[in-house]
Amino acid sequence: MKRNLFFAVFLPLFLCSMAASAQVETITWSADARQIYDSGFMHKLMKDPKGGVRLFNNEPVENDSPGAGVSDKGVNTDEVWGSNRARKVLALDDPRAAKAWMFIFLNRRGKFALTFEVNGHRSQMDTWQSKGYERFRWVEFPAEWLKKGKNVIDLSCPEAKTAAEGWSIYLARADEFEAGGGDSKAAGKTSFKSANGGETWKESPFGPIGQDRAEYEVRICLNRYVKSGWLETPVIDLWKKTQEDLIVQMHTIQKLRISADSEVPPGTTVALYMRKGTNASPYSSEWEPYEAIGSGPAVSLEMEGKKFLRRYLQLKAVLSTENPLVSPAVKAVKVSADFKESFPVPLHKNIYVVEADNPPIRYSSVNWVWEKADRPEYAILRKRENLDKVIAGSRTQFEAQVKLLDYATKRWRWNEPNPEYPEWDALSILDRIDKAGGGGMCIQFNLLLAGACMSYGWQARLVGIDGHEVCEVWSDDYGKWIYFDAYNWNHVMCDIRTGAPLSMLELHKIYLDYFYPDRPMDWLSDYRFGDDAVAKRADKPPIIRSSSTYNDRSSGDYGGFMQSRILRIIPRNNWFEKSWPRPLSHGTDSSWPWDGYVTWYDDRTPPRIQYSWYTDRSRDMWPDLNKTHISASQGYGNDRLYLEFETYTPNFSHFEVNTDDNGWEKAEDRWNWLLVPGKNTLQVRAVNKQGSKGKPASITVNRVELPFKEWEMK
């Protein structure tokens, strides 16, 4: 490009003047740990009531979850009554805990209590009023009963004269462990059976002739801090004076200072790490590896800019403890960067931001695994089920998704998925329909719907709620996750004030406001409400059911909502690529014993102690997909902006840009936006490999023509 003569003659003198007047400018980013927790990334942490962020304080001790559930392969329960007793041995490397609970997956039979002994100390699990779908119970016992090494738990009900009066304990079969993600070699080595009142014990003697190995589904759940967890900042843009700034100047860093304050009791550690990058996306390949800064209660670093020389920074604090009764806590982090430009880039005052629809992307801490776009099963599914005709004529993505919902609902009627419980992919479910006249129950309906949506590039996943499994589909039309239920009644739940479809998290919050407005739930006494709970009240939840077909069950009026007190998700949907690990015969035993879920908790939804992975950050379980965020910087010219695009789009292909409504064109993640005098508009969207287009981000600016001498320099 030819240089303008004016610039060729006068620019060198002007730049010399700029260099002479250059001053140091400091840009600071600071946040307390709770702000970082909300906006960044974390694992195995929770907010500290005293301030800051500490390690999570729930730890189940178990070795049964990979094989737990109803099996087609044989016996999966054992009866405890009379002289028939059960023993479970669980090892602890450290027995210290603030509280301890005995947790058992079981069925209550008669009126007699189940006696349990922990290392010879006796307590009992009383009978209870059975409600809902849950087949488990827990009871607290003194944590002092535990010891380092092997802990022996004996279960008995000597008062029961028959099996019908005793207790039925669930078993995790060794031959189911591999599919659940476990190692079958050791399964059954820590469970024992006695048929003579505890005089003699036999290792894992289950099955009709005693040849099968299995583990009792018996766990110890501890109120104590986990050994380690981590907190990571969002991406820090060192060029931004505030993180809300849309347009920034280009800078060259001269000095960088980092500090972090923590509480670090004896036996605990907080180690701080940093990484630098040239891309705003935390998942970009342009990031360099993390490097250690230091550890302790007050960590600080000062380094010369030439050793950093990057625009973007991320910090990570790793918390750990050797004493499960004590946790470190991160309190605050501060970053400041000095800039002194020899030839400062001006912040041009002739560019005015008129409008911007450009929110930051809500990234998840969870390493979600999405089905790849090139799966050949997608084409088979669409052709086999004639899905192109099903969605023909749809004017929006959401309309097409609703048509697929209707299709999945009408594909068959409910039937028991056992025996030969199908795999979790849509084609396996369809094969079972052809084989057995039915594909299964709620989980199969909604996995079929999810697979149909993904065959068009629309991400969908299964959500486990209270005694039910539903589907959530990402809607680019609404820019959010939306609850769908393809069970015998097909529907979407909508906000009664706006008609907007709702996610499961939104339904959960409405549920809490409706049933528990002023207190948290108690899992041992607050059971799932019956379908008539809403009918009995004069006030109704602010939701309405939307369906494209008939509803032959009145309970469907509030389906999904009535089960929304529990939210758990398996963090993947790549069932074509890999059928395991996954829960065994999911939902058939109504206890959900597998421990691979990400489980939701909040102020009114306490953690259920049988699981090890929890979050109260909505972005972890409901991350933004397919959205684009724009970062803009200025160079020397006052007639252009240099843009960077970031997205979290599974199976991402490319960006598309539409400037001034001239049509969409393919773009990379960086774009030189040449501005015309007056109004300038730009839209950018992400496109995945199946051609599905995400919700666009947009910017509108006015550019005012200014004479050269009126450019304002910074």
Side-chain angles (χ1 to χ4, degrees), residues 192-385:
F192 304 83
K193 176 67 180 274
S194 175
N196 54 15
E199 293 184 15
T200 60
W201 295 88
K202 184 179 179 182
E203 179 185 298
S204 188
F206 309 124
I209 56 175
Q211 78 278 24
D212 299 320
R213 292 185 296 115
E215 290 287 354
Y216 284 117
E217 295 180 26
V218 175
R219 304 176 182 181
I220 295 174
C221 297
L222 302 175
N223 174 216
R224 69 181 190 182
Y225 296 112
V226 299
K227 291 182 179 180
S228 65
W230 52 261
L231 178 69
E232 191 177 48
T233 67
V235 172
I236 301 169
D237 186 343
L238 296 173
W239 291 3
K240 287 189 175 184
K241 294 180 180 179
T242 72
Q243 292 300 302
E244 290 73 33
D245 289 343
L246 177 58
I247 301 175
V248 300
Q249 295 167 276
M250 291 183 178
H251 284 292
T252 301
I253 189 170
Q254 301 297 316
K255 187 167 291 186
L256 179 70
R257 290 177 294 275
I258 298 171
S259 63
D261 295 324
S262 305
E263 289 183 0
V264 186
T268 71
T269 303
V270 174
L272 191 66
Y273 301 82
M274 62 167 280
R275 68 171 182 165
K276 50 189 177 181
T278 57
N279 192 292
S281 170
Y283 295 105
S284 170
S285 60
E286 297 178 27
W287 284 92
E288 298 173 34
Y290 270 106
E291 54 186 283
I293 294 177
S295 62
V299 178
S300 62
L301 171 73
E302 182 173 305
M303 64 186 304
E304 296 299 318
K306 61 184 179 182
K307 293 184 178 180
F308 187 82
L309 207 61
R310 299 291 185 273
R311 175 176 177 177
Y312 299 107
L313 168 72
Q314 254 191 313
L315 300 174
K316 185 174 186 177
V318 178
L319 293 74
S320 58
T321 184
E322 297 176 355
N323 181 353
L325 300 179
V326 182
S327 172
V330 178
K331 295 296 186 178
V333 174
K334 183 177 180 180
V335 177
S336 62
D338 291 345
F339 302 96
K340 183 178 180 181
E341 310 296 341
S342 299
F343 302 98
V345 173
L347 182 64
H348 302 303
K349 296 292 186 172
N350 69 317
I351 300 174
Y352 296 79
V353 178
V354 177
E355 188 177 358
D357 183 5
N358 185 42
I361 296 172
R362 288 164 39 88
Y363 291 104
S364 174
S365 297
V366 177
N367 185 25
W368 290 89
V369 180
W370 310 102
E371 193 81 85
K372 292 182 173 60
D374 60 355
R375 296 302 306 183
E377 295 89 347
Y378 285 153
I380 297 171
L381 175 62
R382 289 169 64 165
K383 184 176 181 180
R384 172 174 173 171
E385 297 298 301

Side-chain angles (χ1 to χ4, degrees), residues 638-684:
N638 72 346
D639 61 347
R640 65 199 63 199
L641 293 172
Y642 299 100
L643 306 182
E644 293 184 33
F645 309 140
E646 62 175 298
T647 187
Y648 181 61
T649 297
N651 299 307
F652 174 74
S653 173
H654 62 274
F655 291 104
E656 288 183 344
V657 170
N658 178 13
T659 54
D660 302 319
D661 293 324
N662 287 319
W664 294 94
E665 57 181 304
K666 188 174 181 179
E668 301 297 329
D669 60 356
R670 288 167 170 84
W671 182 267
N672 180 12
W673 189 13
L674 303 177
L675 305 177
V676 300
K679 183 179 180 181
N680 295 258
T681 62
L682 179 138
Q683 293 177 294
V684 59

Side-chain angles (χ1 to χ4, degrees), residues 447-701:
L447 283 171
L448 176 62
L449 170 60
C453 288
M454 289 189 292
S455 73
Y456 289 95
W458 309 326
Q459 290 299 331
R461 80 276 179 92
L462 195 75
V463 181
I465 55 178
D466 193 0
H468 194 32
E469 312 293 331
V470 299
C471 179
E472 276 190 324
V473 180
W474 177 262
S475 169
D476 292 309
D477 294 336
Y478 287 95
K480 60 184 283 189
W481 289 98
I482 292 175
Y483 154 76
F484 278 173
D485 192 353
Y487 187 46
N488 286 346
W489 58 92
N490 94 38
H491 67 253
V492 181
M493 279 293 181
C494 302
D495 187 321
I496 202 167
R497 296 159 296 188
T498 65
L502 300 169
S503 70
M504 277 310 310
L505 181 59
E506 290 170 316
L507 286 173
H508 174 74
K509 292 178 178 179
I510 296 170
Y511 177 95
L512 293 177
D513 291 341
Y514 189 71
F515 289 114
Y516 299 97
D518 55 2
R519 69 173 180 89
M521 287 183 282
D522 183 337
W523 295 116
L524 290 179
S525 59
D526 291 327
Y527 294 95
R528 173 180 159 187
F529 289 98
D531 294 330
D532 60 346
V534 174
K536 292 178 180 179
R537 291 176 51 163
D539 61 321
K540 305 302 179 189
I543 54 178
I544 186 171
R545 177 179 179 271
S546 173
S547 178
S548 59
T549 190
Y550 63 89
N551 174 29
D552 58 358
R553 293 181 62 177
S554 60
S555 60
D557 291 344
Y558 292 101
F561 169 74
M562 293 302 296
Q563 300 91 14
S564 65
R565 68 181 189 138
I566 299 168
L567 302 172
R568 55 184 163 233
I569 304 176
I570 298 173
R572 70 184 186 98
N573 65 1
N574 60 330
W575 302 111
F576 281 130
E577 179 184 6
K578 193 174 182 181
S579 62
W580 60 275
R582 49 97 183 100
L584 172 64
S585 302
H586 194 66
T588 54
D589 65 358
S590 302
S591 59
W592 292 270
W594 196 64
D595 193 33
Y597 307 104
V598 185
T599 305
W600 177 257
Y601 79 100
D602 52 49
D603 290 342
R604 288 175 286 174
T605 312
R608 291 158 68 97
I609 60 175
Q610 69 263 46
Y611 300 126
S612 59
W613 192 358
Y614 294 90
T615 185
D616 62 346
R617 296 166 14 106
S618 59
R619 61 173 58 219
D620 284 342
M621 293 176 69
W622 292 270
D624 288 341
L625 301 189
N626 309 338
K627 292 184 177 181
T628 302
H629 180 72
I630 306 168
S631 298
S633 58
Q634 292 188 327
Y636 189 73
N638 72 346
D639 61 347
R640 65 199 63 199
L641 293 172
Y642 299 100
L643 306 182
E644 293 184 33
F645 309 140
E646 62 175 298
T647 187
Y648 181 61
T649 297
N651 299 307
F652 174 74
S653 173
H654 62 274
F655 291 104
E656 288 183 344
V657 170
N658 178 13
T659 54
D660 302 319
D661 293 324
N662 287 319
W664 294 94
E665 57 181 304
K666 188 174 181 179
E668 301 297 329
D669 60 356
R670 288 167 170 84
W671 182 267
N672 180 12
W673 189 13
L674 303 177
L675 305 177
V676 300
K679 183 179 180 181
N680 295 258
T681 62
L682 179 138
Q683 293 177 294
V684 59
R685 65 190 180 191
V687 182
N688 70 18
K689 293 178 180 178
Q690 290 166 281
S692 182
K693 299 172 174 59
K695 185 178 177 65
S698 62
I699 298 176
T700 300
V701 301

Side-chain angles (χ1 to χ4, degrees), residues 348-350 638 703-712:
H348 302 303
K349 296 292 186 172
N350 69 317
N638 72 346
R703 174 177 168 250
V704 177
E705 290 277 31
L706 287 178
F708 180 83
K709 66 179 181 179
E710 295 185 21
W711 290 12
E712 182 174 340

Side-chain angles (χ1 to χ4, degrees), residues 168-188:
S168 181
I169 314 298
Y170 281 97
L171 303 172
R173 294 176 59 93
D175 48 15
E176 298 285 8
F177 265 61
E178 184 177 1
D183 184 356
S184 63
K185 294 179 182 178

